[in-house]
Amino acid sequence: MINAAQENARMLASILGLAEDEAAARLEQTILVTSDAQCAGWAREISELLERTVNVTFDPAVNTQVELIVGDVQPRSNSRCLYASIDEQGASVTTQPQKRKGDAPPLFAAIAAASVAAAALAAVIDDPALPSVSLPHALDFNQLGVPMAALDRQYDLSGSVLIGAGAVAHGFVRALRHLRVLGELPIVDPKTVGGGNPNRCLYLDETDVGKNKSQALAQRAQKDFDQLRLLPFVEEYRSYAKRVGPTRTAIVTVDSRRARRSIQSELPGRVLDASTTDIQAVIVHSHKQPNPHACLACIYKHIPDEFAREQAIAEGLGVSLDMVREAFITPEAASLISRHQPGRDPQQWVGMAYDSLFKQLCGEQALRTPEGKQVLAPFAFVSMLAGALLVCEFLRSENSAASTNYWAVNPWGTPISRVRRLRGRISDCEFCSRPEVDAAALELWG
Ligand SMILES: [Zn+2]
């Protein structure tokens, strides 16, 4: 089974055009973290993101390549230094000591942690093929578009459903702990935790591999919430919605375009969605019904790449295209796959995502193709950023601050408010171009 370190190495190998073992060696670097007392909590948050990808130490005796200085404190090594600091207005990463000193709202500090992690990783991996981080790197919290008063309110999440319990869901729940939330939040995911998942699912470690994803997330994260109950459901959203009825707020964190279109077809009253495109982009989308603008199926319309990926997986594993489109492996599919994999127990694959098994069995060569590349998983900081921006979108929606429905953010840069867009419907959308949709939305949610 592929492990967390291999998952990272494969991602980096693909970006840098290296063999997997060369990429793995690049990730064997160590960052020394030094912080002052005031920034200790923030430094820990940054370290938690970094240590899913490279080595992190707080011990100056260890041989390190980069020292990350968090707050107002002197370096402890002769390594190349990066300085991170934060206050109420924003956060910065620079190559020289700097002046910011203050307390940021915890949700914003979590987003800033992802920015600092990006800069530190770029410094330690140090390769021109990696997306560039230009220093000084400054994050202005105003760009997040969240009114300050929204951070202090209390929110009842009852009526919302968190769909998907993968890395973006982990980022979402992890960022959500910084708000005052109560009620019940169902977490719906039919899949099991794959060996590579702990590289980016922040609540998980190796001991969670093989557990149901929704149960593992609910169980691990519950300690962060006194008044919010996390309720796991091991099933597809489609079957959940059939049983429970229409969802008032769908918080969408699934990992495929097809799954998103399928969720849209259940006509949730409000959609809050975040996705990652390997390590290159984070996309945030939201809308409320009745919705005259782009829906989730407009944003994630069917594209040729998607078909090529499904076909590569179907051929690689020896199953039908329809099976791959079910997204996770059924007992029937597992027994088909085992015909090409003699001596292995097919039972172990039941409930896994096709992407994960494809990565595991088809390996390096398959991942070098454009189709194969699409199954690669991002680094932890990218998923965390997507989840935290999804919490911001929730706050914007709750506080009537969202007049746009689409935001693309470069995880190696900083969020830029003016690139938010209000996207219109596409005329051939498989969901909202159907004439009955608007009437149904009006009746259900109008
Ligand atoms: Zn649409």
Side-chain angles (χ1 to χ4, degrees), residues 295 297-298 429 432:
C295 75
C298 291
C429 173
C432 68

Side-chain angles (χ1 to χ4, degrees), residues 131-132 137 279-282 385 408-416:
S132 68
H137 182 77
I279 59 171
Q280 313 271 359
V282 170
L385 178 66
V409 173
N410 170 8
W412 302 87
T414 55
I416 300 166

Side-chain angles (χ1 to χ4, degrees), residues 91-112:
S92 305
V93 187
T94 52
T95 52
Q96 297 297 323
Q98 51 184 319
K99 302 265 186 306
R100 281 188 195 271
K101 202 169 166 61
D103 282 315
L107 173 64
F108 294 173
I111 292 168

Side-chain angles (χ1 to χ4, degrees), residues 21-87:
D21 55 346
E22 290 173 300
R26 296 287 192 93
L27 293 171
E28 272 308 312
Q29 314 270 353
T30 304
I31 298 174
L32 170 65
V33 177
T34 299
S35 91
D36 65 9
Q38 189 180 4
C39 289
W42 189 44
R44 205 161 39 243
E45 195 148 9
I46 298 165
S47 307
E48 282 168 4
L49 297 177
L50 286 171
E51 69 193 11
R52 300 273 169 162
T53 313
V54 293
N55 301 316
V56 174
T57 184
F58 295 88
D59 177 2
V62 173
N63 180 30
T64 54
Q65 284 71 43
V66 167
E67 181 172 0
L68 179 63
I69 319 277
V70 186
D72 186 13
V73 61
Q74 293 297 313
R76 296 182 292 160
S77 74
N78 294 320
S79 305
R80 182 177 161 198
C81 285
L82 276 186
Y83 295 83
S85 61
I86 192 164
D87 61 18

Side-chain angles (χ1 to χ4, degrees), residues 131-142:
S132 68
V133 174
S134 51
L135 299 176
H137 182 77
L139 166 61
D140 170 4
F141 295 145
N142 279 329

Side-chain angles (χ1 to χ4, degrees), residues 78-234:
N78 294 320
S79 305
R80 182 177 161 198
C81 285
L82 276 186
Y83 295 83
S85 61
I86 192 164
D87 61 18
E88 300 77 5
Q89 270 85 46
S92 305
V93 187
T94 52
T95 52
Q96 297 297 323
Q98 51 184 319
K99 302 265 186 306
R100 281 188 195 271
K101 202 169 166 61
D103 282 315
L107 173 64
F108 294 173
I111 292 168
S115 273
V116 177
L121 282 179
V124 80
I125 295 170
D126 195 19
D127 192 299
L130 206 65
S132 68
V133 174
S134 51
L135 299 176
H137 182 77
L139 166 61
D140 170 4
F141 295 145
N142 279 329
Q143 299 291 324
L144 299 172
V146 175
M148 283 306 252
L151 296 171
D152 301 323
R153 275 185 53 195
Q154 181 168 275
Y155 300 91
D156 187 343
L157 290 182
S158 303
S160 303
V161 179
L162 178 57
I163 309 171
V168 178
H170 279 252
F172 175 79
V173 174
R174 198 128 176 112
L176 194 64
R177 76 196 156 127
H178 298 309
L179 301 182
R180 290 197 299 139
V181 285
L182 53 90
E184 293 186 336
L185 181 64
I187 304 175
V188 182
D189 195 317
K191 292 184 274 193
T192 51
V193 177
N197 286 163
N199 93 320
R200 59 198 185 282
C201 291
L202 292 168
Y203 281 108
L204 303 186
D205 59 37
E206 289 78 42
T207 63
D208 294 300
V209 172
K211 292 182 187 168
N212 291 311
K213 278 185 165 178
S214 59
Q215 288 170 339
L217 173 55
Q219 192 187 6
R220 294 276 187 182
Q222 187 60 65
K223 65 177 186 325
D224 285 341
F225 301 91
D226 294 331
Q227 292 182 280
L228 177 71
R229 275 187 67 213
L230 302 173
L231 304 172
F233 291 88
V234 184

